[in-house]
Amino acid sequence: MKMHSILIPIDGSRHARRALRYAISSIKEGLQAEVHVITVEPDVLPMGDLPLLDIEFVEKSQHEQAKRVIRSAGRILKNAGLSYTKNISQGSIASNIVRYAKAHGCDSIIMGTRGMGMLGNIVLGSTANQVIHLAKIPVTLVK
């Protein structure tokens, strides 16, 4: 029997940590699952006359933040006694989440309902909503 595979997108938000803890509690209650965590760095879009150096600084800062987010999730999973696979990608957040899930044969996605930025949710639409519409597998949203 194939082990269930769960993808947990994380971004450092309180909602993402709740989704991670929800997944851990499901596994602790008996769900046999392998865990994948992903964080996606959005593309940095040039705004106005920003010099290239500033864009590189922003990208480097985003990557450092992504590594901190993955490390933090890793500590939570390790403290729960669980192993996991981690991934940092860049680009469209929802598309990268769904693409990773498909490429790695994930059976479900467990994610928070809100991310780090309210403005981003207003401008881009809810990432969770986009994932629900793009994914062909069950998506569990955690408030």
Side-chain angles (χ1 to χ4, degrees), residues 2-74:
K2 178 184 175 277
M3 185 178 289
H4 191 80
S5 180
I6 300 170
L7 176 60
I8 309 164
I10 55 171
D11 64 0
S13 69
R14 149 177 115 241
H15 293 279
R17 283 190 300 277
R18 282 191 192 136
L20 181 61
R21 288 193 171 91
Y22 175 83
I24 291 169
S25 70
S26 296
I27 294 167
K28 293 290 186 180
E29 290 175 6
L31 176 66
Q32 296 293 311
E34 64 180 22
V35 176
H36 296 260
V37 291
I38 185 173
T39 191
V40 181
E41 304 169 32
D43 288 325
V44 178
L45 302 175
M47 296 175 66
D49 295 328
L50 266 181
L52 187 58
L53 184 62
D54 289 342
I55 292 172
E56 289 174 0
F57 174 78
V58 171
E59 286 175 341
K60 184 177 180 195
S61 297
Q62 274 188 178
H63 190 67
E64 291 303 314
Q65 174 65 16
K67 290 192 301 190
R68 282 192 293 275
V69 165
I70 287 283
R71 276 195 304 269
S72 175

Side-chain angles (χ1 to χ4, degrees), residues 44-116:
V44 178
L45 302 175
M47 296 175 66
D49 295 328
L50 266 181
L52 187 58
L53 184 62
D54 289 342
I55 292 172
E56 289 174 0
F57 174 78
V58 171
E59 286 175 341
K60 184 177 180 195
S61 297
Q62 274 188 178
H63 190 67
E64 291 303 314
Q65 174 65 16
K67 290 192 301 190
R68 282 192 293 275
V69 165
I70 287 283
R71 276 195 304 269
S72 175
R75 279 192 296 274
I76 293 169
L77 287 160
K78 186 176 178 185
N79 289 341
L82 299 174
S83 59
Y84 63 97
T85 302
K86 63 184 176 183
N87 180 268
I88 297 174
S89 62
Q90 184 175 5
S92 165
I93 297 171
S95 296
N96 272 280
I97 290 167
V98 173
R99 189 177 307 119
Y100 181 94
K102 185 175 182 180
H104 292 85
C106 295
D107 299 299
S108 65
I109 299 169
I110 298 176
M111 63 187 295
T113 55
R114 291 260 183 244
M116 290 294 284

Side-chain angles (χ1 to χ4, degrees), residues 11 13 15 93 112-130:
D11 64 0
S13 69
H15 293 279
I93 297 171
T113 55
R114 291 260 183 244
M116 290 294 284
M118 287 298 281
L119 181 61
N121 282 336
I122 293 167
V123 173
L124 302 174
S126 167
T127 298
N129 191 43
Q130 291 175 20

